[in-house]
């Protein structure tokens, strides 16, 4: 849940600049998707929250990457060359692909 939350928060922060520019240029922003309208309405709170924990997402990525390496090291595999792949999966946050890369059977 923390990884999903931090990833979503980071994505919202990335959208704020574009949405703010749109807000300035358009008199009526009622055409915006409700999610984007919410981001625009709460931009100050979102930015403040992001600034209070700027390295949280990076730390979570590091913990998952370390877990991936240690899990496979325990299994006798050297997966250091896959760290870049894991980092990209985390940035895209595709949990199913992440589970596949870990090689965990969910049954």
């Amino acid at each position: 849940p923390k990884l999903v939350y931090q990833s979503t928060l980071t994505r919202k922060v990335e959208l704020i600049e574009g949405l703010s520019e749109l807000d300035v240029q358009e008199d009526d922003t009622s055409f915006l998707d409700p999610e984007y309208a919410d981001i625009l309405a709460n931009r100050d709170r979102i930015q403040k929250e992001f600034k209070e924990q700027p390295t949280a997402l990076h730390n979570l990525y590091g913990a998952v990457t370390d877990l991936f390496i240690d899990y496979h090291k325990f299994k006798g595999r050297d997966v250091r060359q896959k760290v870049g792949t894991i980092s990209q999966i985390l940035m895209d946050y595709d949990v199913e692909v992440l589970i596949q890369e870990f090689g965990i059977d969910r049954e």
Side-chain angles (χ1 to χ4, degrees), residues 32-51:
L32 286 175
D33 183 271
E35 177 188 4
Y36 296 142
D38 182 62
I39 292 170
L40 198 53
N42 295 303
R43 62 183 153 207
D44 292 335
R45 181 190 55 79
I46 292 169
Q47 287 176 322
K48 180 181 180 224
E49 188 173 344
F50 183 76
K51 285 178 183 174

Side-chain angles (χ1 to χ4, degrees), residues 20-34:
S20 294
E21 187 175 318
L22 188 62
D23 187 36
V24 168
Q25 292 180 2
E26 296 290 328
D27 292 331
D28 179 24
T29 57
S30 62
F31 62 88
L32 286 175
D33 183 271

